[in-house]
Amino acid sequence: SNDAQSADVSQRILGKNGVNSPSLGTAEPEMRGLYILLTMNNEGGMEVLKYSGRLCTQKPEIFYSKPVQLALSIFQAKKDHNYAKFFRLLRCPSTPYLFSCIMFKYVENMRKETLMLMSKVYGARHKTTGEAFFDSYPLERLVNLLCYEDESEASEACRHYGITVEGDQVLWRHSKFREPRDPEKGIIIPLKPRKMIRTIESKLNGATRLSVCRGGVSCEGATLYKAPTCVDAGTLLKERQKAQERKREE
C-alpha cells in the first residue's frame, strides 16, 4: 500500500524510532558519497578534499563507510587522470546505480583525455630505427576499456577526434588527435556519449524509479544503523508508561 511505502521511506531517512532515533539519517553514508561525486569539479577538487577532511574528523564512522570510500576512490581516479581505474569502477557490479549515473557526467571528458593520451603514447617511433611500435590497437579492446556500447560508437569517437580506424583496428601512427570546431562559430564540437545501457542501465536489474528512491539498488553499507543505547531505551519506556497512565485517567 501507499502508506506502507511511505513508512518505509520515512524509516530509511529518519530511522526506525522516528526523529529521536539514534539511527537518525540512516542513509547518510550513501548521501555523503553522492555529494562527493556531485562536487568533484568544484574549486578544482579542493571542496572534496576539505569536505572529506572534516568528515574524517567529525564523523569517522561515516568517512570509513563503503559508499564514502568508493566515492573518494572515484574522485582520486578522475583527479589523477587514471582512466583505467575510473572506467573499471564505473563498470564494476558493486558500484551502485546512482553512483554510476553521476559518473556518467564525467565520461565524455575522461574518454577525450584518454584518446588524446593514447594517440601520443601508441604508434610512437623508435628514436634509432624510426620503426613504429604499438601501432595497431583492437577496437574491441577500446570498447571494453572506455565502456563504449559497441564498436560502432568507439569507431565514431575515434573518427571524431581524427584517429584512424581501419576495419576492427585503431591505427595510431596514422592519427593526429584534434578536436573538431564549428566552421562558423569556431567553438569546439563536443561528442556526447550514448546512453550507457550495457554499463549503467543494466545495474537496475528491473528496478523501478520508486525502488531506486527507496534504496533498492543501493550498495552495501549505504545505511548506517545504530542500536539504541540504554538511555534511549529507558526514555522510551518512561514515555510509554506516562502514555498508559494518561489513558487510565481518561
Side-chain angles (χ1 to χ4, degrees):
S1 67
N2 289 335
D3 290 341
Q5 291 172 353
S6 298
D8 183 83
V9 172
S10 297
Q11 178 176 310
R12 178 172 169 76
I13 298 172
L14 298 176
K16 295 183 178 180
N17 300 316
V19 293
N20 293 322
S21 169
S23 58
L24 175 65
T26 55
E28 185 175 357
E30 182 181 28
M31 295 300 106
R32 297 272 189 177
L34 291 171
Y35 178 82
I36 287 170
L37 295 180
L38 287 167
T39 57
M40 289 199 295
N41 280 346
N42 292 9
E43 300 178 25
M46 284 304 298
E47 181 172 335
V48 170
L49 295 176
K50 291 185 284 188
Y51 178 79
S52 58
R54 289 195 304 269
L55 192 62
C56 181
T57 303
Q58 298 170 2
K59 293 193 172 185
E61 73 280 8
I62 301 292
F63 177 80
Y64 289 106
S65 65
K66 287 187 176 182
V68 170
Q69 289 301 305
L70 173 60
L72 290 175
S73 293
I74 295 168
F75 166 74
Q76 194 64 48
K78 179 183 176 298
K79 183 173 178 290
D80 294 342
H81 306 286
N82 188 341
Y83 60 86
K85 183 177 181 181
F86 179 88
F87 286 104
R88 183 173 70 248
L89 289 170
L90 177 60
R91 62 176 171 266
C92 181
S94 61
T95 299
Y97 176 71
L98 288 178
F99 278 50
S100 299
C101 287
I102 298 177
M103 290 177 74
F104 179 77
K105 68 180 285 192
Y106 305 107
V107 163
E108 178 187 348
N109 196 57
M110 288 297 289
R111 282 176 174 170
K112 182 180 74 173
E113 288 182 359
T114 303
L115 291 173
M116 180 172 61
L117 179 63
M118 294 178 78
S119 68
K120 293 178 180 179
V121 176
Y122 290 87
R125 292 180 178 275
H126 195 281
K127 289 184 179 180
T128 307
T129 64
E131 182 183 356
F133 51 93
F134 298 121
D135 181 30
S136 183
Y137 192 92
L139 199 59
E140 182 182 6
R141 189 175 171 189
L142 193 66
V143 170
N144 294 326
L145 179 68
L146 301 184
C147 297
Y148 287 111
E149 281 297 289
D150 49 37
E151 291 188 10
S152 173
E153 185 185 17
S155 178
E156 180 186 343
C158 287
R159 292 191 173 95
H160 179 85
Y161 292 115
I163 296 170
T164 304
V165 176
E166 288 187 7
D168 60 354
Q169 298 291 314
V170 180
L171 303 180
W172 303 106
R173 182 164 53 93
H174 302 282
S175 306
K176 185 176 181 181
F177 182 90
R178 59 172 178 76
E179 293 185 76
R181 292 181 176 272
D182 186 293
E184 295 181 359
K185 299 179 180 178
I187 59 174
I188 293 174
I189 302 173
L191 179 64
K192 298 295 182 184
R194 293 184 195 171
K195 186 175 182 178
M196 301 180 75
I197 297 173
R198 187 173 65 90
T199 305
I200 297 178
E201 296 304 314
S202 60
K203 294 182 180 184
L204 276 175
N205 293 319
T208 62
R209 290 183 180 180
L210 177 60
S211 178
V212 172
C213 293
R214 293 171 62 189
V217 290
S218 298
C219 66
E220 182 184 350
T223 56
L224 184 70
Y225 293 106
K226 297 179 182 177
T229 63
C230 294
V231 175
D232 295 323
T235 302
L236 291 172
L237 181 60
K238 286 180 182 178
E239 289 178 353
R240 188 177 298 173
Q241 289 172 343
K242 286 179 182 178
Q244 290 174 347
E245 287 174 3
R246 283 196 295 269
K247 266 191 177 180
R248 290 196 203 99
E249 290 173 359
E250 292 173 357

